[in-house]
Amino acid sequence: MKSLFKPKPRTPSDIVKQTRDLLLRLTSRDDDNMPDLTKNLRDLKSILYGNSESEPVPEACAQLTQEFFADNTLRLLIQYLPKLNLEARKDATQIVANLQRQQVQSKLIASDYLDTNLDLMDVLVSGYENTDMALHYGAMLRECIRHQIVAKYVLDSPHMKKFFDYIQLPNFDIAADAAATFKELMTRHKSTVADFLSNYYEWFFDEYNSKLLESSNYITRRQAVKLLGDMLLDRTNSAVMTRYVSSRDNLRILMNLLRESSKSIQIEAFHVFKLFAANQKKPADIISIFVANRSKLLRLLGDLKTDKEDEQFEADKAQVIKEIAALEPRDLA
Amino acid sequence: MNSAAVAIKSIDLDLSHPNILWVVMPFMAAGSLQSIISHSHPNGLTEPCIAVVLRDTLYALSYLHGQGHLHRSAITTSSSSSSSLKFTDVAGTPYWMAPEVIHSHTGYSFKADIWSFGITALELAHGRPPLLHLPPSKSMTNPSKRPNADKLLKHPSFKNRKGTDFLVKNVLQGLPSVEKRYKESKGNLHEDDDDPSMQVKQRRISGWNFNQDG
């Protein structure tokens, strides 16, 4: 209790140290610490985010960040989050999120800390299996994977397969949070994603097709076909795209999505479907499907329209129609 | 159940909720100020009318900030019958959204609402948002230099200003109802629909043929 008699105001560094001490004492069942801990977390959040009277002070933020990562305060905060009350959990989540973006002498020291403490990501990802913790850990995770080294760790981990289940959890809030994290993982660090998709192409797209694109859940299908388009249209993923649009099974799935009653899904499916048509090295079985369904495809595409006029969409559609109409059975030779 | 008119709006929140939300709210017969301006005042309102709208917006912001609420993009709407302005929001509209909200670097504070207030003021004056030709995030400004709502209310522009009745008389009087304005714009849209290719009803495509025909 000696620290309680220190003259105020306490420095940001002091607050971090005291917070760490209070977290350590949570291991013993001393609930009397909770009000002090809650207040400390609120104070730390005020330093990082400012409040109605003042803006954040860069020097104070840097000092706080430096002290936070000089020891294992982040580890303690993540591990003991379940013991905190709801308000403290929310403040802690915002603190951790903010710290991922704080620079100390132009350096993101959070990234250095996480590089040597990557096991903390295992805790955060597994949070999706805990209803009470999922949204807090999910928000922290999404900020942490902004660091390339962390994103790579998660992508290469067994957790990736679990995302296909997390995205469809019956608790919609948690499913939506997992979907947001999954999208961030698959789009932010482009060269890392390209390596991931090339290395794990087989199981990843098997899961993607069967669990997401062919899900019975409308939301899941719609999100999945949109994200698929974003991934395949990214220039860094061109090798993966070429491989994906050479598969007859993939074409079947996309053509079925084109027939959906939801126009939103149809439009998103078109953005992927056009890549099959544009492929200048179409395999014979792809050409065969196009020729066999030519009249239906041309009718469906002719009727497909966006709500607002979209010149690029119309140009793409015209190109696809032209490509399909021009296919000759002899192209099968 | 009373017979008061209400507005019922179906909101497709673009995947953020599994169901369509139906929001029941007081029916603002005159519609949004934005639609009023674009219909009847394309070059913006006069300064006295602007002052009435902005003052009432500031009172609302001052109240909300006192309650600890942030209002990420603030804009006003109006009602001709009750002579009152109600405070609404345009979620996710980048032109009214403060830059620190767009970038979400360090969270945001009450200053984000003051940014939106500034954009609204310019739109009332010019009839459209400023800097429309620039990407919104390039119009950066420092949140710490913005005053708060209470400080703004002390500005001379908002003293000894006319009441809301003045606004009704000068802006809303003679204005077609929101239903009529909607039908006018709908009618314009319908003319485009005379295009024969758009008259064709969409026929459902039956199953695909995925058999290998060699």
Side-chain angles (χ1 to χ4, degrees), chain A residues 111 114-115 118 121 125 141-157 159-160 163 181-182 184-193 196 200:
Chain A
S111 184
L114 292 178
D115 192 13
L118 285 167
M121 298 307 109
V125 179
L141 175 64
R142 236 179 342 280
E143 290 297 319
C144 290
I145 60 175
R146 293 170 62 91
H147 307 299
Q148 186 271 338
I149 196 69
V150 177
K152 178 167 167 46
Y153 175 81
V154 177
L155 285 168
D156 287 339
S157 77
H159 297 298
M160 282 309 293
F163 269 99
T181 302
F182 184 74
E184 188 78 4
L185 280 166
M186 301 312 303
T187 54
R188 173 168 289 276
H189 297 286
K190 297 186 183 301
S191 62
T192 305
V193 172
F196 167 81
Y200 303 109

Coordinates of all heavy atoms in Angstrom, one line a residue, chain A residues 111 114-115 118 121 125 141-157 159-160 163 181-182 184-193 196 200:
Chain A
S111 N 5.4 -4.3 -32.0 CA 5.7 -5.4 -32.9 C 6.9 -6.2 -32.4 O 6.9 -7.4 -32.5 CB 6.0 -4.8 -34.3 OG 6.2 -5.8 -35.2
L114 N 5.7 -8.4 -29.5 CA 4.8 -9.6 -29.9 C 5.7 -10.6 -30.7 O 5.4 -11.8 -30.6 CB 3.7 -9.1 -30.8 CG 2.6 -8.2 -30.1 CD1 1.6 -7.8 -31.1 CD2 2.0 -9.0 -29.0
D115 N 6.8 -10.1 -31.4 CA 7.6 -11.1 -32.1 C 8.2 -12.1 -31.2 O 8.4 -13.2 -31.5 CB 8.7 -10.3 -32.8 CG 9.5 -11.1 -33.8 OD1 9.0 -12.2 -34.1 OD2 10.6 -10.6 -34.2
L118 N 4.7 -14.5 -29.3 CA 3.6 -14.9 -30.2 C 2.6 -15.9 -29.6 O 1.5 -16.0 -30.2 CB 4.2 -15.5 -31.5 CG 4.9 -14.4 -32.4 CD1 5.8 -15.0 -33.5 CD2 3.8 -13.5 -33.0
M121 N -1.0 -14.8 -29.1 CA -2.0 -14.9 -30.2 C -2.8 -16.1 -30.1 O -4.0 -16.1 -30.5 CB -1.3 -14.8 -31.5 CG -0.5 -13.5 -31.8 SD -1.5 -12.0 -31.5 CE -0.8 -11.4 -30.0
V125 N -6.8 -15.9 -30.3 CA -7.6 -16.6 -31.3 C -8.6 -17.5 -30.7 O -9.7 -17.6 -31.0 CB -6.7 -17.3 -32.3 CG1 -7.6 -18.0 -33.4 CG2 -5.8 -16.3 -33.0
L141 N -7.0 -8.9 -31.2 CA -6.3 -9.7 -32.2 C -6.3 -8.9 -33.5 O -5.3 -8.9 -34.2 CB -7.1 -11.0 -32.4 CG -6.6 -11.9 -33.5 CD1 -5.2 -12.4 -33.3 CD2 -7.6 -13.1 -33.7
R142 N -7.4 -8.3 -33.9 CA -7.4 -7.6 -35.1 C -6.4 -6.4 -35.2 O -5.9 -6.1 -36.2 CB -8.8 -7.0 -35.4 CG -9.4 -7.5 -36.7 CD -10.8 -7.0 -37.0 NE -11.6 -6.5 -36.0 CZ -12.3 -7.2 -35.1 NH1 -12.2 -8.5 -35.2 NH2 -13.1 -6.7 -34.2
E143 N -6.1 -5.8 -34.0 CA -5.1 -4.8 -34.0 C -3.7 -5.4 -34.0 O -2.8 -4.9 -34.7 CB -5.2 -4.0 -32.7 CG -6.5 -3.1 -32.7 CD -6.4 -2.0 -33.8 OE1 -5.3 -1.5 -34.1 OE2 -7.5 -1.8 -34.5
C144 N -3.5 -6.6 -33.4 CA -2.2 -7.2 -33.3 C -1.8 -7.7 -34.7 O -0.6 -7.7 -35.1 CB -2.2 -8.4 -32.3 SG -2.3 -7.8 -30.6
I145 N -2.8 -8.2 -35.5 CA -2.4 -8.8 -36.8 C -2.1 -7.7 -37.8 O -1.8 -8.0 -39.0 CB -3.4 -9.8 -37.4 CG1 -4.8 -9.1 -37.5 CG2 -3.6 -11.0 -36.5 CD1 -5.8 -9.9 -38.2
R146 N -2.2 -6.4 -37.4 CA -1.7 -5.4 -38.3 C -0.2 -5.5 -38.4 O 0.4 -4.9 -39.3 CB -2.1 -4.0 -37.7 CG -3.6 -3.8 -37.8 CD -3.9 -2.5 -37.0 NE -3.3 -1.3 -37.6 CZ -3.9 -0.6 -38.5 NH1 -5.1 -0.9 -39.0 NH2 -3.3 0.5 -39.0
H147 N 0.5 -6.1 -37.4 CA 1.9 -6.3 -37.5 C 2.1 -7.6 -38.4 O 1.6 -8.6 -38.1 CB 2.5 -6.6 -36.1 CG 2.2 -5.5 -35.1 ND1 2.6 -4.2 -35.3 CD2 1.5 -5.5 -34.0 CE1 2.2 -3.4 -34.3 NE2 1.5 -4.2 -33.5
Q148 N 3.0 -7.4 -39.4 CA 3.2 -8.5 -40.4 C 3.7 -9.8 -39.7 O 3.2 -10.9 -40.0 CB 4.2 -8.1 -41.4 CG 4.4 -9.1 -42.6 CD 5.5 -10.1 -42.3 OE1 6.4 -9.9 -41.5 NE2 5.4 -11.2 -43.0
I149 N 4.6 -9.7 -38.7 CA 5.1 -10.9 -38.1 C 4.0 -11.7 -37.3 O 4.0 -12.9 -37.3 CB 6.3 -10.5 -37.1 CG1 7.1 -11.7 -36.7 CG2 5.7 -9.8 -35.9 CD1 7.9 -12.3 -37.9
V150 N 3.0 -10.9 -36.8 CA 1.9 -11.6 -36.1 C 1.0 -12.2 -37.1 O 0.5 -13.4 -36.9 CB 1.2 -10.6 -35.2 CG1 0.0 -11.2 -34.5 CG2 2.1 -10.0 -34.2
A151 N 0.7 -11.5 -38.2 CA -0.2 -12.1 -39.2 C 0.3 -13.4 -39.7 O -0.4 -14.3 -39.9 CB -0.5 -11.0 -40.3
K152 N 1.6 -13.4 -40.0 CA 2.3 -14.6 -40.5 C 2.2 -15.7 -39.6 O 1.9 -16.9 -40.0 CB 3.7 -14.3 -40.9 CG 4.5 -15.5 -41.4 CD 5.8 -15.1 -42.0 CE 6.7 -16.3 -42.3 NZ 6.1 -17.4 -42.9
Y153 N 2.4 -15.4 -38.3 CA 2.3 -16.5 -37.3 C 0.9 -17.1 -37.3 O 0.7 -18.3 -37.3 CB 2.6 -15.9 -35.9 CG 2.4 -16.9 -34.8 CD1 3.3 -17.9 -34.5 CD2 1.2 -16.9 -34.0 CE1 3.2 -18.8 -33.5 CE2 1.0 -17.8 -33.0 CZ 2.0 -18.8 -32.7 OH 1.8 -19.7 -31.7
V154 N -0.2 -16.2 -37.3 CA -1.5 -16.8 -37.2 C -1.9 -17.5 -38.5 O -2.5 -18.6 -38.5 CB -2.5 -15.6 -37.0 CG1 -4.0 -16.1 -37.0 CG2 -2.2 -14.9 -35.7
L155 N -1.5 -17.0 -39.7 CA -1.8 -17.7 -40.9 C -1.1 -19.0 -41.0 O -1.7 -20.0 -41.5 CB -1.2 -16.8 -42.1 CG -2.1 -15.6 -42.5 CD1 -1.3 -14.7 -43.5 CD2 -3.4 -16.0 -43.1
D156 N 0.1 -19.2 -40.5 CA 0.8 -20.5 -40.5 C 0.4 -21.4 -39.4 O 0.8 -22.5 -39.3 CB 2.3 -20.2 -40.4 CG 2.9 -19.7 -41.7 OD1 2.2 -19.8 -42.7 OD2 4.0 -19.1 -41.7
S157 N -0.5 -20.9 -38.5 CA -0.9 -21.7 -37.3 C -2.1 -22.6 -37.6 O -2.8 -22.4 -38.6 CB -1.2 -20.8 -36.2 OG -2.5 -20.3 -36.3
H159 N -4.7 -22.5 -36.2 CA -5.9 -21.7 -35.9 C -6.7 -21.4 -37.2 O -7.9 -21.2 -37.2 CB -5.6 -20.4 -35.2 CG -5.0 -20.6 -33.9 ND1 -5.7 -21.2 -32.8 CD2 -3.8 -20.2 -33.4 CE1 -4.9 -21.2 -31.7 NE2 -3.7 -20.6 -32.1
M160 N -5.9 -21.3 -38.3 CA -6.6 -20.9 -39.5 C -7.8 -21.8 -39.9 O -8.8 -21.3 -40.4 CB -5.6 -20.8 -40.7 CG -4.7 -19.6 -40.7 SD -5.6 -18.0 -40.5 CE -6.5 -18.0 -42.1
F163 N -11.1 -20.9 -38.2 CA -11.8 -19.7 -38.6 C -13.0 -20.1 -39.5 O -14.1 -19.4 -39.4 CB -10.9 -18.7 -39.4 CG -10.3 -17.7 -38.5 CD1 -9.0 -17.9 -38.1 CD2 -11.0 -16.6 -38.1 CE1 -8.4 -17.0 -37.2 CE2 -10.4 -15.7 -37.2 CZ -9.1 -15.9 -36.8
T181 N -12.0 -10.4 -38.6 CA -10.6 -10.8 -38.4 C -10.1 -11.6 -39.5 O -9.0 -11.4 -40.1 CB -10.4 -11.6 -37.1 OG1 -10.9 -10.8 -36.0 CG2 -9.0 -12.0 -36.8
F182 N -10.9 -12.6 -40.0 CA -10.5 -13.4 -41.1 C -10.2 -12.5 -42.4 O -9.2 -12.7 -43.1 CB -11.6 -14.4 -41.4 CG -11.3 -15.4 -42.5 CD1 -10.4 -16.4 -42.3 CD2 -11.9 -15.3 -43.7 CE1 -10.2 -17.4 -43.3 CE2 -11.7 -16.2 -44.7 CZ -10.8 -17.2 -44.5
E184 N -9.3 -9.4 -42.4 CA -8.1 -8.7 -42.2 C -6.9 -9.6 -42.5 O -5.9 -9.1 -43.1 CB -8.1 -8.2 -40.8 CG -7.0 -7.2 -40.4 CD -7.2 -5.8 -40.9 OE1 -8.3 -5.5 -41.5 OE2 -6.3 -5.0 -40.8
L185 N -6.9 -10.8 -42.0 CA -5.8 -11.7 -42.2 C -5.6 -12.0 -43.7 O -4.4 -12.1 -44.1 CB -6.1 -13.1 -41.5 CG -5.9 -13.1 -40.0 CD1 -6.5 -14.4 -39.4 CD2 -4.4 -13.1 -39.7
M186 N -6.6 -12.1 -44.5 CA -6.5 -12.5 -45.9 C -6.2 -11.3 -46.8 O -6.0 -11.5 -48.0 CB -7.8 -13.2 -46.3 CG -8.1 -14.4 -45.6 SD -6.7 -15.6 -45.3 CE -6.3 -15.9 -47.0
T187 N -6.2 -10.1 -46.3 CA -6.1 -8.9 -47.2 C -5.0 -7.9 -46.8 O -4.6 -7.2 -47.7 CB -7.4 -8.2 -47.4 OG1 -7.9 -7.8 -46.1 CG2 -8.5 -9.0 -48.0
R188 N -4.6 -7.9 -45.6 CA -3.7 -6.7 -45.2 C -2.3 -6.9 -45.7 O -1.7 -6.0 -46.3 CB -3.7 -6.5 -43.7 CG -2.7 -5.5 -43.2 CD -2.9 -5.1 -41.8 NE -4.2 -4.3 -41.6 CZ -4.2 -3.0 -41.8 NH1 -3.1 -2.3 -42.2 NH2 -5.3 -2.4 -41.7
H189 N -1.6 -8.0 -45.3 CA -0.2 -8.1 -45.7 C -0.1 -9.0 -47.0 O 0.0 -10.2 -46.9 CB 0.6 -8.8 -44.5 CG 0.5 -7.9 -43.3 ND1 1.3 -6.8 -43.1 CD2 -0.2 -8.1 -42.1 CE1 1.0 -6.3 -42.0 NE2 0.1 -7.0 -41.3
K190 N 0.0 -8.3 -48.1 CA -0.3 -8.9 -49.4 C 0.7 -10.0 -49.7 O 0.3 -11.1 -50.2 CB -0.3 -7.8 -50.5 CG -1.5 -6.9 -50.2 CD -1.7 -5.9 -51.3 CE -2.8 -4.9 -51.0 NZ -4.1 -5.5 -50.7
S191 N 2.0 -9.8 -49.5 CA 3.0 -10.8 -49.9 C 2.9 -12.0 -49.0 O 3.1 -13.2 -49.4 CB 4.4 -10.2 -50.0 OG 4.8 -9.8 -48.7
T192 N 2.6 -11.7 -47.7 CA 2.4 -12.8 -46.8 C 1.2 -13.7 -47.1 O 1.3 -14.9 -47.1 CB 2.3 -12.3 -45.3 OG1 3.4 -11.4 -45.0 CG2 2.2 -13.4 -44.3
V193 N 0.1 -13.0 -47.5 CA -1.1 -13.7 -48.0 C -0.8 -14.5 -49.2 O -1.2 -15.7 -49.3 CB -2.2 -12.7 -48.2 CG1 -3.4 -13.4 -48.8 CG2 -2.6 -12.1 -46.9
F196 N 1.0 -17.6 -48.3 CA 0.0 -18.5 -47.6 C -0.9 -19.2 -48.6 O -1.0 -20.5 -48.5 CB -0.8 -17.7 -46.6 CG -2.0 -18.4 -46.0 CD1 -1.8 -19.3 -45.0 CD2 -3.2 -18.3 -46.5 CE1 -2.9 -20.1 -44.5 CE2 -4.3 -19.0 -46.0 CZ -4.1 -19.9 -45.0
Y200 N -0.7 -23.3 -49.1 CA -1.8 -24.1 -48.5 C -3.0 -24.1 -49.4 O -4.2 -24.3 -49.0 CB -2.2 -23.5 -47.1 CG -1.1 -23.4 -46.1 CD1 -0.6 -22.2 -45.8 CD2 -0.6 -24.6 -45.6 CE1 0.5 -22.1 -44.8 CE2 0.5 -24.5 -44.7 CZ 1.0 -23.3 -44.3 OH 2.0 -23.2 -43.4

